[in-house]
Amino acid sequence: MTTRPLPSRLIDRPCPNGRDPLRLARAVGAICLLAAGTTRHLPLLALALTPSLPAAAADEARDDEARELDAVVVTATRQAYRGDFDAREVPQAELRIDATVLRDAGALDLDQALDLSASVARQNNFGGLWNSFAVRGFIGDENLPSNYLVNGFNAGRGFGGPRDLSGIESVDVLKGPRAALFGRGEPGGTINLVSKRPTFEHAGEVRIGAGRFDEWRADVDWTAPIGDAVAVRLVGFHADAESFRDTVDTLRQGASPSLAIRFSDATRLVYELEYSEQDIPFDRGVVAINGDLGALPIERFLGEPGDGPIRTEVLGHQVELQHDFSADWSALVGFTHRDTSLQGFSTEAELAVNRQRLFVDGRTLSRQRRFRDYDATYRVLRAEVAGRFDFAGMEHRLLFGADTDEFENDQVFLRARGPTLASNPTLAQSQAIDVFNPVYGRFPLPTPGPLTDRLETQESNGLFLQYHVGLTERLDLRAGLRYDDYEQSLDNRLNRTSLTQSVSRSSPQAGVVYEITPALSAYAAYGENFRPLSGAAFDGSPFEPNQSRSAEAGVKFDLLDGALSATASVFRLTQDNLLVADPVNAGFSIAAGEASSRGVEFDLSGQPAKGLTVWLSYAWIDAQLDNDVLDFNFALPLREGDRLLNIPEHALSVQVAKDLVALGRPLRIGSGVQYVGDRLGEAGTTFELPSYTVARAFAAWDVSEAVTLGAEIDNLFDETYYTNSFSRLWVRPGEPRTWRLTANWRF
């Protein structure tokens, strides 16, 4: 088959003999411009880099003999914080979802990619405006998007909308706490996206797709060398679609151009730009009438079309410079600057019981109108050294470095809501809508008033060290430690108050790996994680950071001479200092919640037979509260042993693909199944989301060497299901049966 996406590995060619100092100076100047992180420097960047490229005319004039001396060396820019390790040498469970698996699954965004890992569960996605997920039963801050990394850089905490996979080569699910290297982060694990990067080969692909609900999408991916030492890659997409939800349609577009420069055999630089803009109506989903999710059709939109879409935008830059001192030692320096924004109106179901008419008559939904203007800026600078040496008959591997990052979260939030039912408000005051016979625009849209106006800044400086030693040919030990000096400031512009706190934390890590046979290894690991909490208690004191601890053990093995790879693991996670409602001071919070998660996981992938690809991911997770507290949002009583929101006990993802021949041309067919067990749908209640099983089928046929036609059907049996919720009034329905046709042209 020739339907796989373009490769992302950097194919390096030695530079021509001799170095041009002016060339190098201009390239370094371009990096400094990138560090400023503003779009006004992009034309200067192009001007700075262009003269630094090897002159095409001069290279053309060189004789053929000199060109034949240019050996092609295939290398890859090392992933930050990861070191150089085989998968079976890492004492933690990891799952890589590569480009072939993503394309077979029809994954276009991050949520669809993470559905392939049973260890990841969808959470409240803020009306479709961001990615929110729990790994191994634990989620981070429910009022912010779940954080993820791009090539090791923090990138998920901003407001850029749901992440499209247009510029992404693969998705790594790094399970368990990773603070010993990455610093503060999500308590259950880390998601790292690996981007598509330039190659020194000419290759390109244009992909056009059309689907149900007037879905249209175009993707382009082109890479080529520019001279002997520079290559570029241009990736972009445009998607315009309606949906199964009444009145809801979306417009998304973005571009991810990148540049690779090889200054010498030992030194290379990669620059990547990320730009996207999305127009997405704010959609909280459907409501359950007296706990019944089937009372309303999944198509029913309960907002106001007159609000228009929410606009999100992203502009980001990444620069990575790697230098190899020798075959065993290398250094990596990286910088990123990422600006994101979210702005627009929404009309949403009112959650307060004393204001909600639906709880009285079973058909009239009280709503709020809101306006949000959110901006976030993320800056990260890191430097690390990785290498190995032999001493006392043992191999030692070190990874050490430092990083600094700053996250600015600027939020302006306005709201208009009706009075309590006790005051007998009018339907217009309650912005009411009949859920069984909705009439949009029935009342004038109210003007929201100020509710939140604040700027939060989080700054962190960290030092990290990881030491990995092979005690014998079969036994490896790993130890890691990170120290973070963290400062947080919160400026409340409404009441003109400021709060600053400083926290220092050490995050240890330890693990052991034993190779039982060349195809089977066993491991055990322990790690800790911390995550600072926003805001302050009633007395103005800052919260103690959320702290999590993890212990896991497992086996990693190959089957059929390496054709299949698998990991089986067991784990236990605990958390302290979860934010809960203050039982004494209404409207305030305290950091007093405790929770735990335990589970069993099994991941398997590979090709057990020629032309047959399989993927299987299963997880059993038991996540619960460990003490009696009051719910953070509504002060509802929560009891020890209560389940955590949106976490299924059982989850399974299976995908199978087979390569065949039809009319003398390659044909790839396959199918997939996802099972998600029942989940708690609202904290402090017995409301649950039912379990579901959805299936899909796909086919891709190479009609020629350059053209592939594809077809896929999702939710093959048209099951009604619900992916996540925050309350019985905010429930996200899954898509009904959908289809998509695609055409790929490679050049």
Side-chain angles (χ1 to χ4, degrees), residues 275-355:
Y275 174 76
S276 72
E277 58 181 35
Q278 305 185 52
D279 291 334
I280 306 172
F282 199 96
D283 181 10
R284 289 289 192 186
V286 298
V287 302
I289 308 297
N290 296 321
D292 180 11
L293 277 170
L296 295 181
I298 61 173
E299 295 82 9
R300 185 64 45 81
F301 177 65
L302 296 173
E304 280 293 335
D307 286 328
I310 301 285
R311 164 63 66 93
T312 69
E313 294 185 349
V314 178
L315 180 61
H317 310 276
Q318 285 191 18
V319 183
E320 289 185 76
L321 180 65
Q322 180 172 325
H323 177 74
D324 298 329
F325 300 105
S326 67
D328 294 327
W329 290 90
S330 68
L332 182 65
V333 178
F335 176 82
T336 185
H337 182 110
R338 193 171 189 260
D339 291 310
T340 62
S341 64
L342 178 155
Q343 186 181 86
F345 288 91
S346 66
T347 300
E348 313 164 37
E350 170 69 68
L351 297 185
V353 175
N354 64 350
R355 300 171 189 265

Side-chain angles (χ1 to χ4, degrees), residues 643-666:
R643 299 170 65 186
L644 300 187
L645 199 64
N646 288 305
I647 305 301
E649 187 173 8
H650 297 277
L652 173 70
S653 179
V654 179
Q655 185 167 277
V656 178
K658 176 65 175 175
D659 291 333
L660 304 171
V661 175
L663 301 179
R665 301 297 307 168

Side-chain angles (χ1 to χ4, degrees), residues 440-464:
Y440 303 120
R442 180 181 178 186
F443 306 113
L445 295 174
T447 301
L451 182 64
T452 301
D453 188 355
R454 69 184 186 188
L455 172 64
E456 181 182 18
T457 302
Q458 302 176 6
E459 297 182 50
S460 179
N461 299 295
L463 299 171
F464 55 90

Side-chain angles (χ1 to χ4, degrees), residues 5-6 103 106-109 112 163-169 196 203-210 215-222 233-240 252-256 275 712 740-747:
L6 296 171
R103 180 158 290 191
L108 299 176
D109 60 39
Q112 294 170 332
R163 177 73 194 219
D164 193 273
L165 296 183
S166 172
I168 300 304
E169 181 74 19
K196 296 176 179 178
E205 178 183 61
V206 174
R207 180 180 175 91
I208 305 294
E215 175 192 350
W216 296 92
R217 181 182 173 104
D219 291 84
V220 62
D221 183 358
W222 174 79
R233 189 161 189 166
L234 304 177
V235 182
F237 76 98
H238 178 92
D240 188 353
R252 312 169 192 258
Q253 55 191 5
S256 304
Y275 174 76
E712 55 190 85
R740 183 182 299 113
L741 302 176
T742 59
N744 286 31
W745 174 50
R746 295 172 297 280
F747 55 93

Side-chain angles (χ1 to χ4, degrees), residues 77-82 149-154 181-182 192 197 270 272 318-322 331-336 379-385 400-405 462 464 482:
T77 303
R78 178 172 55 80
Q79 281 283 301
Y81 304 108
R82 303 293 294 277
L149 311 177
V150 177
N151 302 319
F153 287 111
N154 283 308
L181 288 181
F182 295 109
N192 182 53
R197 293 188 164 183
V270 177
E272 299 177 71
Q318 285 191 18
V319 183
E320 289 185 76
L321 180 65
Q322 180 172 325
L332 182 65
V333 178
F335 176 82
T336 185
R379 287 180 288 269
V380 181
L381 176 65
R382 68 175 183 229
E384 64 179 57
V385 175
F400 60 91
D403 56 27
T404 178
D405 70 62
F464 55 90
R482 180 184 175 97

